[in-house]
């Protein structure tokens, strides 16, 4: 297993939102599957789907079911949710068809936003008496407290990896939602991450606490991650790196204290000049920031915040609603309208 980087910045705080496994949702719908050696997609019958993978039945030779496939789930109109997936297992059924289980390997930000929306809708519509145990996905929240720590973390992510220390163990190969939250006005982002390796970490001064080093990879196209991360790095203030004053040379117990400090201990009540959304609904801003620049994905997230399951109980307060509307107006002017909102039949946002 890979040992976490010894220079991992201690200004990171990790907390686990859920320890349960992913929930599989039964959904029988036709999907398109693009096999590596075929030019035309085949039609398969999907059986279930989760955050991390799916299972479907297809009438194809077993030899075709290897390597990386592309799955196309139906979306609104002629749009699709495109997912690159790896075959985990394939077994022949009595009918001669093959039942195939796949693990999702890579999604664009747009497809990821659609997949999350699809899972939420399917989960809300699942009224079966017996449901799979577990949450839709296990989330790892990381709080970054200063610009130097954020820059170091983003540089690691741009390189396709992230080493971090947490309080709870994860399983190698587990797919999770990684939520990076910047304190004091620093940017943040949300990513699909896969746990590549887990190792128990011993730190002087923390004999009574279990600490684990995680090595994470990401389930997004490398170019998309790098482009987005580079944009975030440009927003950071310049950082002067002094090796003598950095945490790399600090004692292990001091570094561990900063790494392991729980999220709840952060002083978040003093909002200063923060906006209403920054102070009351930072999760909403993080969701919009992740899809910023993509009109279709931004529209999906915005609808979920204003009309879907993530709307505030009793509706958004007037001041928060005005800020949401302002963000949508800015995005519309900068990046244009999504196809759905170009229709004259669609009502405009209420003011």
């Amino acid at each position: 297993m890979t040992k976490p980087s010894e220079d991992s910045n201690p200004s990171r705080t990790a907390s686990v939102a859920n320890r349960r496994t992913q929930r599989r949702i039964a959904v029988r719908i036709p999907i398109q599957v693009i096999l590596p050696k075929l030019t035309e997609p085949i039609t398969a019958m999907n059986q279930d789907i989760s955050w991390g993978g799916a299972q479907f039945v297809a009438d194809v030779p077993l030899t075709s079911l290897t390597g990386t496939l592309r799955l196309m789930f139906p979306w609104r109109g002629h749009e699709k949710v495109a997912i690159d997936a790896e075959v985990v297992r394939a077994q022949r059924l009595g009918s001669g068809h093959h039942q195939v289980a796949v693990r999702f390997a890579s999604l664009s930000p747009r497809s990821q936003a659609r997949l999350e929306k699809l899972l939420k809708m399917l989960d809300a519509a699942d009224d079966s008496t017996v449901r799979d145990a577990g949450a839709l996905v296990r989330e790892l929240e990381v709080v970054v407290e200063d610009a130097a720590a954020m820059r170091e973390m983003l540089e690691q992510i741009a390189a396709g990896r992230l080493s971090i220390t947490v309080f709870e163990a994860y399983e190698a190969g587990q797919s999770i939602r990684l939520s990076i939250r910047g304190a004091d006005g620093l940017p943040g982002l949300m990513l699909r991450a896969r746990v590549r390796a887990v190792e128990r970490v011993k730190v002087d001064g923390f004999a009574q606490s279990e600490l684990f080093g995680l090595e994470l990879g990401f389930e997004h196209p490398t170019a998309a991650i790098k482009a987005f991360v580079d944009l975030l790095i440009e927003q950071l203030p310049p950082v002067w790196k002094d090796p003598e004053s950095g945490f790399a040379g600090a004692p292990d117990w001091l570094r561990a204290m900063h790494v392991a400090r729980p999220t709840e201990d952060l002083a978040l009540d003093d909002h200063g000049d923060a906006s209403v959304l920054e102070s009351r609904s930072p999760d909403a801003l993080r969701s919009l920031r992740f899809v910023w620049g993509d009109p279709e994905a931004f529209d999906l997230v915005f609808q979920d915040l204003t009309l879907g399951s993530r709307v505030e109980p009793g509706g958004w307060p007037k001041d928060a609603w005005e800020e949401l509307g302002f963000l949508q107006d800015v995005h519309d002017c900068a990046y244009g309208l999504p196809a759905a909102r170009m229709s004259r039949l669609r009502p405009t946002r209420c003011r």
Side-chain angles (χ1 to χ4, degrees):
M1 293 189 178
T2 305
K3 182 178 180 180
S5 301
E6 294 183 356
D7 62 348
S8 295
N9 197 293
S11 299
R12 303 171 188 160
T13 302
S15 66
V16 179
N18 204 306
R19 299 189 63 178
R20 297 172 293 175
T21 57
Q22 299 169 8
R23 181 183 303 137
R24 293 174 299 174
I25 304 174
V27 53
R28 294 184 60 84
I29 55 173
I31 63 173
Q32 291 184 316
V33 180
I34 302 177
L35 301 174
K37 298 182 179 180
L38 297 181
T39 57
E40 296 294 329
I42 64 169
T43 300
M45 180 59 68
N46 191 77
Q47 294 183 316
D48 64 51
I49 189 173
S50 68
W51 166 277
Q55 182 171 270
F56 61 87
V57 174
D59 183 15
V60 292
L62 183 61
T63 54
S64 301
L65 300 171
T66 58
T68 301
L69 316 177
R70 168 157 287 202
L71 277 55
M72 309 290 287
F73 287 84
W75 191 241
R76 295 177 305 191
H78 297 292
E79 298 175 330
K80 304 289 183 182
V81 181
I83 303 174
D84 289 341
E86 300 170 349
V87 176
V88 177
R89 66 178 181 275
Q91 59 180 359
R92 184 179 177 84
L93 302 177
S95 62
H97 294 52
H98 285 92
Q99 184 182 60
V100 187
V102 296
R103 180 176 66 183
F104 297 157
S106 181
L107 293 81
S108 69
R110 175 183 297 181
S111 287
Q112 173 60 27
R114 291 176 177 177
L115 175 63
E116 291 205 47
K117 182 70 173 179
L118 177 64
L119 290 173
K120 290 178 182 177
M121 292 189 297
L122 291 174
D123 186 52
D126 185 5
D127 57 357
S128 59
T129 56
V130 179
R131 302 175 65 179
D132 280 324
L136 288 176
V137 63
R138 185 174 178 183
E139 182 168 0
L140 172 62
E141 183 181 59
V142 180
V143 177
V144 186
E145 301 179 36
D146 59 66
M150 177 64 80
R151 181 176 295 273
E152 179 187 339
M153 177 174 286
L154 292 177
E155 287 173 351
Q156 283 197 55
I157 293 173
R161 63 176 184 84
L162 179 63
S163 298
I164 194 165
T165 303
V166 297
F167 273 113
E168 299 188 44
Y170 287 73
E171 295 182 7
Q174 183 177 12
S175 180
I176 63 175
R177 179 197 282 121
L178 174 65
S179 176
I180 298 176
R181 177 183 173 191
D184 299 327
L186 292 173
L189 69 161
M190 197 173 294
L191 297 168
R192 289 182 64 95
R194 183 169 295 279
V195 180
R196 292 179 176 173
V198 184
E199 186 178 36
R200 193 180 301 271
V201 178
K202 294 182 179 180
V203 179
D204 294 340
F206 279 77
Q208 303 301 320
S209 300
E210 285 192 313
L211 296 175
F212 301 89
L214 302 184
E215 184 77 17
L216 302 177
F218 304 104
E219 299 176 327
H220 296 290
T222 302
I225 291 181
K226 190 175 187 310
F228 185 65
V229 168
D230 287 346
L231 180 63
L232 293 183
I233 291 177
E234 290 178 0
Q235 300 176 25
L236 296 177
V239 176
W240 179 67
K241 296 183 179 181
D242 181 1
E244 296 299 325
S245 61
F247 279 104
D252 287 344
W253 62 268
L254 178 59
R255 294 172 59 232
M257 284 180 63
H258 287 266
V259 172
R261 187 148 64 90
T263 303
E264 292 77 8
D265 288 348
L266 292 177
L268 298 178
D269 293 333
D270 183 11
H271 301 303
D273 296 328
S275 67
V276 175
L277 291 176
E278 286 175 317
S279 59
R280 301 181 192 173
S281 305
D283 288 341
L285 280 182
R286 285 199 298 272
S287 299
L288 291 173
R289 185 183 293 117
F290 182 65
V291 295
W292 192 265
D294 185 329
E296 301 295 337
F298 184 90
D299 190 50
L300 291 175
V301 174
F302 190 87
Q303 286 186 64
D304 195 32
L305 290 172
T306 56
L307 301 174
S309 60
R310 297 177 62 183
V311 65
E312 287 285 290
W316 288 95
K318 181 180 178 181
D319 47 4
W321 181 247
E322 289 178 351
E323 290 185 5
L324 282 171
F326 173 73
L327 288 174
Q328 187 188 47
D329 290 341
V330 170
H331 196 273
D332 289 348
C333 292
Y335 301 102
L337 298 175
R341 290 181 53 219
M342 291 182 181
S343 172
R344 296 183 178 180
L345 299 178
R346 176 167 173 168
T348 58
R349 185 182 67 253
C350 297
R351 295 290 187 177

